[in-house]
Amino acid sequence: MKIGIMGMPLVGKTTLFNLLTGQHKETSAYSSKGTKNIGIATVYDQRIDYLSSLYHPKKTTYATIEFVDIVGISPGLPAKEKADLFSALQDSEALLFVIRLFEDPVVAGGENPIVQIENLKCELLLRDLEVVENRLERLKNSKKKLTHEELMEIDILEKCYQKLSDDSFLSDLDLSEGELKKLSGFSFYTLKPIIVVLNLSEEQFRSKLYPQKEKLAQIIQEYKMASLDICGKMEMEISELEPEERQLFLEDLKLKESGIARLSQVCYQHLGLISFFTVGEDEVKAWTVKKGISAVKAAGKVHSDIERGFIRAEITKYQDLILCGSAQAVKEKGLLKIEGKDAIIEDGDIIYFRFNI
Ligand SMILES: Nc1nc2c(ncn2[C@@H]2O[C@H](COP(=O)(O)OP(=O)(O)OP(=O)(O)O)[C@@H](O)[C@H]2O)c(=O)[nH]1
Ligand SMILES: [Mg+2]
C-alpha cells in the first residue's frame, strides 16, 4: 500500500514521514524545495510477534506501507511545480492531510487550520475538475463518430463534473463497480480515502484543546475523512529513545502505541483493510487485503498458482490459537476450519492453503 503525505508548507510533513519510516530526512524551519522522500514503514503487529514466538521461523515479515512525502503545497505555487507534486502522489491509494495546529514563532507558516484543510480540498477538486474538463472536451470535439463506450464515458464524466463543481468529492458519488473501473485510469484525487493528521503541540495534545476543533471535525465528517491526533516533533524524539525509555514517555503522553501503529490502525479501518497470516518454519507473514475477500482471492495474494490450483483453506482463528496454545491443540479441539473458495476471510485468520496444479 502506498500513501501520499500532503500539506501546506512547514506543517511537519517530513517530521511525520521520519516518524513513520524511521528515516532521518532533513526538516527545517525554511520550506524545502523540490524534494520528494519515499520510505517504507513497518506495520508492527503483536499477533505476528506471537506467531513468530511459536514457529521460530527463519523469516518474519510484517505488513508494510510505503509513504511519499512531498514539499508543501500552497496556492501560489507555479502550475508546473504543482503538477509535479501531484504526479508524485498519483499512484497513492490514500492521502494524509497534515494540518498544523502547533505554534512556533521560529517556523513560519501555520495558517488557520480551516484555511489549511480548505486549501488542500480545493487543490484536489481543481486537479480532478481539470482532468474531467480536458477529457470531456477531447471527447466532445472528436472528429470521429463516438463509440458506445465513449458515449457512456461522457455520461459518467458529466456526473463527475457536476459533483466537483458543487465542491463535493467524487467519493461522494454513488458509482457502480463498472463506473469506478472506467474512471480508474484517471486516478482522481477526490476518490482517494483521506486521513487528516492533526499535528498538535505537546500542550494541545495533552489537553485535547486546539483552535477550530469543532469546525475541523465537521469538515472531516462532511467529506468522509478519517482523522488522527499526533504530536509530531515530540513523538519523533521519543521514537529515537531506547525501548524502555520510549515506553515511559509514550505512557506519559497517554499513548499506548507508536505513531505508525496508530496511523496504520486508522488507515486499515478507513480503507477497509484486514490482515491474514501464513505461518511455517520458513516464514511467518502478514498479508494485507480488503475486508470481504474470498479465500480463493486471498490465496491469489500469496501466489497466483495457489489461486489457480485452490483446493481448500485450513483456517485457524487467532483467538483460538491463543486459547489453545498450539495449532495441534486447535485441531484436537475441532476448531480448525476447513473452508472452500468462497469463504470470507476475517481479520486475524491464520491460513494454510491446500492447492494442486
Ligand atoms: N514546535 C513544533 N515544531 C515542529 C513540529 N513538527 C515539525 N516542527 C518543526 O517545523 C519545521 C518544519 O518541519 P518539517 O517536518 O520539515 O515540515 P514540512 O511540512 O515537511 O515542511 P516543507 O516540506 O518545507 O513544506 C521544522 O523546524 C520542525 O522541527 C511540532 O509538532 N512542533
Ligand atoms: Mg518536508
Side-chain angles (χ1 to χ4, degrees):
M1 177 171 36
K2 194 165 172 178
I3 297 186
I5 304 178
M6 294 181 74
M8 293 192 65
L10 300 168
V11 295
K13 297 180 295 299
T14 305
T15 306
L16 174 68
F17 172 86
N18 286 341
L19 169 69
L20 298 173
T21 61
Q23 295 199 26
H24 295 88
K25 297 295 179 198
E26 192 183 349
T27 62
S28 101
Y30 306 99
S31 279
S32 37
K33 289 232 173 331
T35 44
K36 171 174 95 175
N37 302 312
I38 298 180
I40 306 278
T42 303
V43 181
Y44 290 103
D45 186 331
Q46 283 174 348
R47 298 173 297 182
I48 284 282
D49 295 335
Y50 175 72
L51 293 172
S52 272
S53 73
L54 277 189
Y55 289 90
H56 306 289
K58 295 191 191 99
K59 195 173 163 201
T60 297
T61 310
Y62 296 89
T64 56
I65 300 178
E66 185 177 338
F67 287 98
V68 185
D69 167 39
I70 57 170
V71 302
I73 295 189
S74 55
L77 211 63
K80 166 81 177 72
E81 278 179 44
K82 236 186 240 180
D84 285 347
L85 290 180
F86 268 97
S87 70
L89 302 180
Q90 196 167 22
D91 57 350
S92 292
E93 284 153 70
L95 301 172
L96 298 188
F97 274 10
V98 182
I99 304 294
R100 167 170 162 180
L101 276 304
F102 71 86
E103 283 166 19
D104 189 321
V106 182
V107 185
E111 270 81 356
N112 175 327
I114 304 299
V115 174
Q116 293 180 49
I117 198 167
E118 289 293 344
N119 268 339
L120 297 176
K121 250 178 57 194
C122 192
E123 293 292 346
L124 301 190
L125 285 167
L126 284 176
R127 287 231 75 79
D128 283 358
L129 200 56
E130 192 182 313
V131 171
V132 170
E133 278 175 337
N134 287 345
R135 179 67 186 154
L136 273 175
E137 200 177 295
R138 191 165 310 155
L139 283 172
K140 286 179 175 172
N141 291 339
S142 168
K143 302 262 182 312
K144 287 187 301 198
K145 187 173 167 353
L146 294 178
T147 63
H148 176 66
E149 285 283 298
E150 285 168 330
L151 288 170
M152 275 185 14
E153 192 181 332
I154 290 184
D155 267 358
I156 307 173
L157 289 174
E158 298 275 15
K159 266 204 290 191
C160 293
Y161 183 84
Q162 260 316 313
K163 201 74 191 167
L164 295 164
S165 310
D166 281 348
D167 244 12
S168 299
F169 281 4
L170 295 179
S171 54
D172 205 32
L173 271 177
D174 250 334
L175 294 165
S176 66
E177 286 281 319
E179 287 174 318
L180 279 173
K181 207 163 170 191
K182 275 211 164 56
L183 296 181
S184 65
F186 298 109
S187 43
F188 285 126
Y189 293 92
T190 66
L191 272 179
K192 297 183 195 291
I194 294 170
I195 294 137
V196 178
V197 177
L198 301 169
N199 194 10
L200 308 175
S201 69
E202 189 182 338
E203 199 190 320
Q204 292 167 334
F205 194 85
R206 287 184 191 278
S207 65
K208 300 282 168 223
L209 292 174
Y210 48 85
Q212 306 278 10
K213 188 172 176 176
E214 281 81 36
K215 181 88 172 110
L216 275 170
Q218 191 191 329
I219 298 174
I220 289 168
Q221 194 183 13
E222 186 184 343
Y223 285 84
K224 299 192 176 72
M225 302 167 181
S227 77
L228 176 76
D229 292 354
I230 64 153
C231 185
K233 199 171 171 187
M234 174 96 177
E235 290 194 58
M236 178 66 221
E237 285 161 10
I238 294 176
S239 73
E240 289 179 333
L241 300 171
E242 295 298 319
E244 299 95 62
E245 266 194 308
R246 201 185 302 159
Q247 205 50 39
L248 283 178
F249 276 89
L250 282 177
E251 278 167 22
D252 180 51
L253 274 176
K254 304 231 169 352
L255 287 175
K256 286 201 193 71
E257 291 166 305
S258 65
I260 178 64
R262 277 152 41 231
L263 182 72
S264 54
Q265 281 158 18
V266 175
C267 289
Y268 274 56
Q269 202 162 29
H270 195 52
L271 275 69
L273 300 172
I274 56 168
S275 304
F276 75 86
F277 310 118
T278 51
V279 297
E281 282 171 13
D282 283 335
E283 191 178 18
V284 163
K285 180 165 178 163
W287 302 84
T288 303
V289 290
K290 280 262 177 206
K291 210 184 258 174
I293 194 173
S294 64
V296 68
K297 286 288 169 212
K301 288 274 169 186
V302 179
H303 201 290
S304 55
D305 283 351
I306 309 184
E307 179 175 355
R308 199 152 47 87
F310 184 96
I311 300 172
R312 63 174 188 260
E314 299 178 1
I315 302 180
T316 304
K317 297 285 169 195
Y318 182 77
Q319 283 312 325
D320 290 342
L321 184 64
I322 294 269
L323 288 174
C324 300
S326 74
Q328 189 55 32
V330 169
K331 215 170 186 173
E332 283 164 8
K333 290 216 165 89
L335 294 171
L336 181 73
K337 300 189 166 38
I338 310 293
E339 302 282 8
K341 281 184 174 177
D342 299 325
I344 300 298
I345 299 305
E346 289 176 2
D347 188 45
D349 282 352
I350 301 154
I351 313 182
Y352 184 80
F353 294 107
R354 297 252 175 227
F355 68 106
N356 186 7
I357 46 166

